[in-house]
Amino acid sequence: MAFLRGQQAAAASMTGDRRTALARLRETETALSRADDRRDAVGGYDQAAFHFHEAHVMWWLGDREGSVHALRRSNHARSPQERQGRLHALGVIADRQMQMRHTEAAAQTWTEFLDLHTTLSSTRGDEHLKTLRKGMAGYRRVPGVADLLARAADVAQRKAA
């Protein structure tokens, strides 16, 4: 139930239906608080997933900073074994920071992303790597961005090999 309500909250926010999005997000939180701790193979939903949905609702409803904070809470709640999810969340955080023109924060998050991406094989990670390279290219003069882009190019080359 929590998963379905979370998906409905995200969908409603994408269509601009603030009232429904926030109501479904509250229902998501209520359902999650009633759930047991089992992580079934299908339908497992936890605090990390809740905060990830929360982040999308906030983003689409215009709370950009709140969205980034919710994504950070998602990664904080995520178990260390969930490296793919952590990688994806870092990519989303960095992309959102770029969209908000928080270039230095984005560069720091992209560095964290690259640290993890070098240890994983991930199609989503590869897509985020493309976003990094394209999105940060215009900011080479910002301190650290040229080095970040050089490192990203190196990672992309090694991933392609």
Side-chain angles (χ1 to χ4, degrees), residues 17-145:
D17 186 349
R18 180 181 193 83
R19 186 184 60 74
T20 300
L22 295 175
R24 294 297 173 269
L25 197 58
R26 283 189 302 274
E27 291 168 7
T28 303
E29 194 167 24
T30 299
L32 182 59
S33 72
R34 292 180 182 153
D36 59 30
D37 288 338
R38 289 183 304 143
R39 292 280 300 175
D40 297 331
V42 176
Y45 194 84
D46 59 10
Q47 284 293 324
F50 170 74
H51 291 306
F52 198 80
H53 276 137
E54 177 185 40
H56 289 303
V57 169
M58 293 172 133
W59 183 260
W60 285 103
L61 295 181
D63 184 358
R64 309 296 197 207
E65 290 289 340
S67 174
V68 169
H69 291 302
L71 286 165
R72 294 256 183 230
R73 284 192 301 275
S74 177
N75 267 354
H76 183 73
R78 197 175 307 280
S79 86
Q81 290 75 31
E82 293 182 62
R83 296 172 34 176
Q84 296 276 349
R86 182 176 312 284
L87 179 73
H88 177 52
L90 286 169
V92 174
I93 292 167
D95 183 40
R96 289 182 179 179
Q97 289 170 323
M98 284 190 324
Q99 290 181 52
M100 293 186 300
R101 304 282 192 258
H102 296 174
T103 309
E104 289 154 349
Q108 289 176 336
T109 305
W110 281 127
T111 297
E112 200 178 338
F113 166 86
L114 286 175
D115 291 345
L116 185 55
H117 190 43
T118 58
T119 68
L120 295 173
S121 176
S122 167
T123 302
R124 273 189 188 171
D126 293 342
E127 290 302 316
H128 287 304
L129 183 59
K130 289 176 189 173
T131 299
L132 180 171
R133 297 179 74 195
K134 182 178 177 184
M136 295 298 280
Y139 298 98
R140 288 184 181 279
R141 293 186 178 182
V142 173
V145 172

